[in-house]
């Protein structure tokens, strides 16, 4: 195996919880990517307008952000975390099953809001639990975690595709005119920003003919093993009969001490126990309580803020690029035909998933700080080249693939790096997940408005600016890392089951 025996032993001892957290993140990916391609069929199902149905996007994203902020509430014991993951993953299966029964756009928005809350809890809790289990070795397992969300995001559109309507799914007198534009409208839709699509006259009344319900029922069945896996983990930890019992550590103190024994001398300073209060890794509101700030240096806040700002930019780039690359390609000066331009979002997400897979072994050999540096520099250079060769269709595809690779490992690497700086006693996971969620929603809305006012060329200019800001914030993070107080090496290292 390409990792050392210590990490391998820890992985074997935590095999079931690790695989469970990975599978739950697959649910997250499955739920995050299905809405875009199925939205027009859902518009037919609810017999709503294009502007009304795009609010469903917003309800999901807003509640995802809310769920990410509140997810830390359930971290206080392992039982709470696993119960929250069980409820969230089961809710996603129920949402998939219920969506075909939603014939009103408001009801559909409420259902998607529930899905967003479940996704937000999954996002925060899964990252937290893996960091707690593996700590300084968490980078490789976080990379694998985020590979599974990419895999789920790739799979759900493939499941939905055979059941999408080739013609308008509401039969009326104006069906013929609207049907010819349907593929273009489907690929141009982005969250709560119909943009210049409002002039398309899609019928709202008539006979509904859509088979998209089968896609949702298939995804509900595919996702069903995930809550079952969480339930089995609850059963293994003896938490099913009585949820009020105290949580059990996934590793005993003796096992943890044995696994944390460093193989090299320079490993000693980073594998010692990081004493932290029980309130570490709380939800966002708990993190903001004044008691958590007593005695904290300014660098403590600076590391949280700059880390969150880096992910605000990079995850915002992921959202705005995947949302608007199709619209940018079909406009002047490129004028790519609709069918060819439709491959660009798939290419982008495909290389994000490939990059996360490649990052699993790479993260074992390379420090998280180095990986983040390569990522932000790569994003900046890619946008610069996209601007220089803005008239080249070939380079647009090359640049899209390159951007997906560089953005793929940014979040898990940044999370591992920031947690390591804070010695696992801050609120990095909650703050970073929240910052990333806000960035993905805000920058997408911002770029959509700018493109609408300034034209398609501003799409790449915005990306270049965001990439530059991400690099700048990362430079500040490196500076604050150097200023951050180092752990005392004179104190005897102790290990506590409370870490887990």
């Amino acid at each position: 195996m390409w990792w050392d025996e210590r990490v391998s032993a820890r992985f074997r001892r935590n095999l079931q919880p690790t695989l469970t957290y990975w599978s739950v993140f697959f649910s997250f990916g499955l739920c995050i990517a299905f809405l875009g391609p199925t939205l027009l069929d859902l518009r037919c199902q609810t017999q709503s307008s294009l502007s009304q149905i795009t609010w469903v996007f917003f309800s999901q994203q807003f509640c995802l952000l809310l769920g990410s902020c509140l997810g830390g509430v359930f971290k206080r014991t392992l039982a709470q975390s696993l119960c929250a993951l069980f409820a969230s993953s089961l809710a996603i299966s129920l949402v998939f099953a219920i969506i075909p029964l939603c014939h009103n756009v408001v009801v559909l928005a409420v259902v998607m809001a529930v899905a967003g809350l479940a996704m937000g809890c999954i996002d925060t809790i899964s990252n937290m639990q893996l960091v707690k289990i593996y700590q300084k070795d968490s980078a490789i397992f976080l990379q694998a975690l985020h590979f599974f969300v990419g895999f789920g995001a790739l799979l759900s559109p493939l499941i939905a595709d055979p059941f999408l309507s080739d013609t308008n799914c509401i039969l009326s007198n104006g069906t013929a005119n609207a049907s010819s534009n349907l593929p273009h409208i489907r690929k141009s839709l982005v969250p709560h920003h119909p943009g210049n699509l409002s002039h398309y006259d899609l019928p709202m009344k008539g006979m509904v003919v859509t088979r998209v319900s089968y896609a949702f029922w298939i995804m509900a069945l595919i996702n069903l093993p995930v809550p079952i896996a969480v339930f089995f983990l609850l059963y293994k930890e003896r938490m099913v009969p009585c949820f009020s019992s105290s949580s059990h550590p996934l590793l005993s103190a003796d096992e943890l001490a044995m696994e944390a024994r460093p193989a090299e001398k320079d490993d000693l300073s980073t594998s010692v126990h990081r004493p932290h209060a029980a309130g570490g890794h709380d939800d966002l509101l708990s993190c903001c309580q004044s008691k958590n700030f007593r005695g904290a240096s300014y660098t403590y806040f600076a590391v949280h803020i700059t880390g969150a700002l880096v992910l605000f930019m990079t995850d915002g780039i992921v959202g705005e690029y995947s949302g608007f690359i199709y619209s940018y390609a079909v406009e002047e000066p490129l004028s790519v035909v609709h069918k060819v331009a439709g491959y660009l979002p798939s290419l982008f997400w495909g290389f994000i998933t490939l990059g996360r897979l490649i990052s699993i072994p790479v993260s074992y050999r390379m420090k998280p700080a180095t990986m983040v540096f390569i990522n932000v520099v790569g994003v900046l250079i890619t946008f610069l080249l996209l601007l220089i060769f803005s008239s080249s269709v070939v380079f647009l595809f090359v640049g899209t693939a390159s951007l997906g690779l560089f953005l793929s490992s940014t979040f898990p690497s940044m999370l591992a790096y920031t947690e390591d700086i804070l010695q696992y006693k801050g609120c990095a996971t909650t703050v970073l997940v929240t910052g990333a969620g806000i960035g993905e929603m805000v920058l997408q809305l911002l770029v959509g408005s700018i493109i609408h006012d300034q034209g398609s060329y501003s799409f790449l200019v915005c990306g270049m600016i965001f990439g530059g800001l991400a690099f700048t914030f990362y430079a500040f993070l490196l500076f604050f890392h150097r200023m951050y107080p180092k752990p005392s090496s004179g104190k005897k290292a102790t290990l506590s089951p409370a870490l887990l």
Side-chain angles (χ1 to χ4, degrees):
M1 188 173 285
W2 39 265
W3 54 24
D4 63 37
E5 184 59 31
R6 179 179 58 82
V7 179
S8 178
R10 173 166 285 191
F11 175 62
R12 288 195 301 269
R13 292 179 186 276
N14 293 282
L15 181 62
Q16 184 177 352
T18 302
L19 292 179
T20 301
Y21 297 137
W22 287 349
S23 68
V24 171
F25 236 56
F26 170 78
S27 287
F28 180 88
L30 200 65
C31 199
I32 204 170
F34 78 88
L35 197 54
T38 62
L39 204 65
L40 287 183
D41 288 83
L42 293 175
R43 185 201 70 84
C44 296
Q45 178 180 296
T46 57
Q47 296 191 334
S48 55
S49 67
L50 199 59
S51 60
Q52 288 173 333
I53 197 65
T54 51
W55 275 100
V56 177
F57 265 126
F58 182 79
S59 68
Q60 183 196 44
Q61 285 202 326
F62 178 77
C63 289
L64 193 160
L65 175 61
L66 185 61
S68 299
C69 296
L70 300 178
V73 170
F74 303 104
K75 75 101 217 177
R76 302 182 191 282
T77 66
L78 180 61
Q80 288 182 2
S81 295
L82 293 180
C83 288
L85 288 181
F86 174 74
S88 298
S89 55
L90 184 61
I92 287 177
S93 282
L94 292 176
V95 163
F96 282 137
I98 292 172
I99 283 175
L101 307 178
C102 299
H103 298 288
N104 181 281
V105 70
V106 176
V107 175
L108 181 61
V110 171
V111 170
M112 291 311 304
V114 172
L117 287 172
M119 292 161 64
C121 289
I122 287 172
D123 194 9
T124 301
I125 294 172
S126 297
N127 280 291
M128 280 183 179
Q129 291 301 321
L130 279 182
V131 168
K132 284 183 178 181
I133 293 173
Y134 294 104
Q135 294 208 1
K136 66 178 290 294
D137 300 313
S138 61
I140 182 173
F141 300 99
L142 289 173
Q143 297 288 355
L145 181 74
H146 287 265
F147 163 75
F148 278 97
V149 71
F151 178 65
L154 274 180
L155 186 61
S156 58
L158 295 177
I159 296 171
D161 187 67
F163 303 101
L164 299 179
S165 301
D166 294 325
T167 59
N168 199 301
C169 43
I170 296 182
L171 300 181
S172 68
N173 294 334
T175 297
N177 292 332
S179 298
S180 61
N181 295 313
L182 202 63
H184 171 65
I185 298 172
R186 189 186 304 280
K187 293 165 185 172
S188 299
L189 278 171
V190 293
H192 191 52
H193 203 286
N196 59 356
L197 300 178
S198 56
H199 62 276
Y200 289 109
D201 185 21
L202 294 176
M204 295 175 58
K205 301 295 180 182
M207 185 174 68
V208 177
V209 283
T210 176
R211 299 184 302 139
V212 76
S213 300
Y214 296 108
F216 291 115
W217 288 329
I218 290 171
M219 285 188 278
L221 289 174
I222 290 175
N223 187 69
L224 195 57
V226 176
I228 295 175
V230 181
F231 179 82
F232 277 127
L233 184 56
L234 277 165
Y235 180 78
K236 178 190 174 184
E237 297 299 321
R238 299 181 179 89
M239 298 173 184
V240 174
C242 181
F243 288 95
S244 61
S245 61
S246 60
S247 65
H248 305 278
L250 297 178
L251 290 177
S252 67
D254 293 337
E255 290 170 341
L256 185 57
M258 180 187 69
E259 291 180 0
R261 187 176 299 137
E264 299 178 7
K265 185 177 180 180
D266 63 348
D267 221 18
L268 182 61
S269 62
T270 56
S271 56
V272 297
H273 167 58
R274 277 88 171 182
H276 63 282
H281 295 98
D282 275 325
D283 61 287
L284 191 64
L285 297 178
S286 298
C287 284
C288 294
Q289 292 178 1
S290 60
K291 66 179 181 180
N292 294 323
F293 301 151
R294 292 170 187 166
S297 65
Y298 76 94
T299 53
Y300 174 88
F301 304 101
V303 168
H304 280 90
I305 294 171
T306 51
L309 286 174
V310 172
L311 290 184
F312 179 93
M313 294 299 165
T314 55
D315 268 50
I317 290 172
V318 172
E320 61 95 4
Y321 196 88
S322 61
F324 291 102
I325 182 59
Y326 172 84
S327 300
Y328 169 75
V330 298
E331 298 290 336
E332 296 288 344
L334 294 175
S335 301
V336 181
V337 295
H338 296 166
K339 187 174 182 180
V340 175
Y343 292 117
L344 284 166
S346 299
L347 179 69
F348 181 65
W349 282 108
F351 271 83
I352 284 181
T353 305
L354 177 63
R356 287 170 176 170
L357 182 63
I358 295 171
S359 297
I360 295 173
V362 171
S363 62
Y364 181 70
R365 300 294 180 185
M366 190 178 294
K367 293 181 178 179
T370 306
M371 293 186 69
V372 177
F373 177 78
I374 293 172
N375 289 335
V376 294
V377 171
V379 168
L380 192 58
I381 293 175
T382 300
F383 270 117
L384 179 61
L385 293 175
L386 282 170
L387 281 169
I388 294 172
F389 300 102
S390 59
S391 60
S392 171
V393 175
V394 173
F395 194 81
L396 179 63
F397 277 83
V398 174
T400 298
S402 172
L403 201 60
L405 281 176
F406 285 122
L407 288 167
S408 61
S409 61
T410 305
F411 185 96
S413 299
M414 193 69 197
L415 180 57
Y417 176 45
T418 310
E419 285 283 12
D420 198 45
I421 294 174
L422 297 169
Q423 302 146 35
Y424 306 92
K425 61 181 181 182
C427 299
T429 301
T430 303
V431 173
L432 265 61
V433 168
T434 303
I438 295 174
E440 189 169 355
M441 183 171 65
V442 170
L443 293 193
Q444 201 167 64
L445 294 173
L446 177 63
V447 171
S449 300
I450 293 174
I451 291 175
H452 185 264
D453 295 335
Q454 304 297 326
S456 62
Y457 188 77
S458 59
F459 168 69
L460 294 181
V461 176
C462 288
M464 182 71 183
I465 293 172
F466 299 150
L469 288 173
F471 179 81
T472 302
F473 292 135
Y474 183 65
F476 278 114
L477 179 61
L478 292 175
F479 172 76
F480 291 125
H481 181 196
R482 292 177 63 88
M483 301 292 293
Y484 194 79
K486 299 295 187 294
S488 175
S489 58
K491 294 181 179 179
K492 184 178 179 180
T494 58
L495 289 164
S496 168
L499 282 171
L500 301 177

